[in-house]
Amino acid sequence: NRVLLTSPILLLFNKKKKVDNNSVRSNFTNKELKYYDKHVDFYYTNLINSIILFTYDTNKLDALAPILLDPLTELYEELDYAFIPILFETVFYNNLIDESFRNDLLQFKERVDKIPNEIWDWEYIDTHDEWKKLKIEAEILLNKIGISTRIFDLKYQSTITK
């Protein structure tokens, strides 16, 4: 499901820079935009799942290990992927999330980006004040968007068995 990350289009576009959200889709051909629009449910599910992960404690994250392999790494990578500009904008373009929540989502991503590297560790997720605040912010954000479940949607995930 992560083949899109290796797409030359995304590799060129996924630069760490601020992008005017009105111009994001103008950088792509109609054929490319149709491709992104066709896969919008995947991008939406990934975005919601990535925020849901931030509501989890270590026990819930650890329970996802057969699916996410390294839940702590996935915690950030899922969110980072969800905010690739063309994927993020496609969710709004297709009206899967109301435009009024764009800034809330971007602020949440910015908040996650500011978490110090020193506390990106299992031992802090349940105990550190920054993580506790982030869990509350994730809950509030999901409620604002109208997401009542906190169940990680598995429809685009594969389970690894030994």
Side-chain angles (χ1 to χ4, degrees), residues 26-55:
S26 67
N27 292 318
F28 295 88
T29 66
N30 283 337
K31 183 178 179 182
E32 291 164 338
L33 293 173
K34 284 180 186 175
Y35 174 85
Y36 290 118
D37 290 342
K38 179 180 174 185
H39 296 92
V40 70
D41 186 63
F42 171 73
Y43 311 139
Y44 169 78
T45 301
N46 187 73
L47 178 59
I48 298 305
N49 273 350
S50 68
I51 299 167
I52 287 172
L53 287 176
F54 280 91
T55 68

Side-chain angles (χ1 to χ4, degrees), residues 73-158:
T73 300
E74 288 292 323
L75 190 62
Y76 183 78
E77 288 183 1
E78 288 283 322
L79 189 72
D80 207 37
Y81 183 83
F83 281 84
I84 292 173
I86 187 61
L87 308 184
F88 184 71
E89 292 306 323
T90 298
V91 170
F92 288 100
Y93 179 80
N94 286 276
N95 299 312
L96 294 184
I97 296 178
D98 189 272
E99 185 72 33
S100 64
F101 300 117
R102 174 190 304 278
N103 285 338
D104 294 322
L105 287 160
L106 291 170
Q107 287 172 0
F108 182 78
K109 171 68 165 91
E110 189 175 305
R111 175 85 169 82
V112 171
D113 288 345
K114 289 180 180 178
I115 294 176
N117 288 338
E118 306 82 58
I119 65 169
W120 274 96
D121 199 298
W122 281 108
E123 68 183 276
Y124 297 111
I125 291 176
D126 294 336
T127 59
H128 197 280
D129 285 343
E130 288 297 313
W131 280 103
K132 289 178 183 179
K133 289 177 195 172
L134 199 57
K135 283 179 188 167
I136 292 168
E137 289 174 29
E139 288 284 352
I140 291 169
L141 180 56
L142 289 166
N143 288 336
K144 277 175 97 171
I145 294 172
I147 306 298
S148 58
T149 183
R150 298 300 179 260
I151 299 170
F152 189 86
D153 189 335
L154 299 172
K155 71 177 152 190
Y156 294 107
Q157 304 294 324
S158 299

Side-chain angles (χ1 to χ4, degrees), residues 52-75:
I52 287 172
L53 287 176
F54 280 91
T55 68
Y56 285 6
D57 60 17
T58 54
N59 291 330
K60 285 184 180 177
L61 286 170
D62 197 39
L64 289 174
I67 298 151
L68 300 179
L69 297 180
D70 180 357
L72 188 60
T73 300
E74 288 292 323
L75 190 62

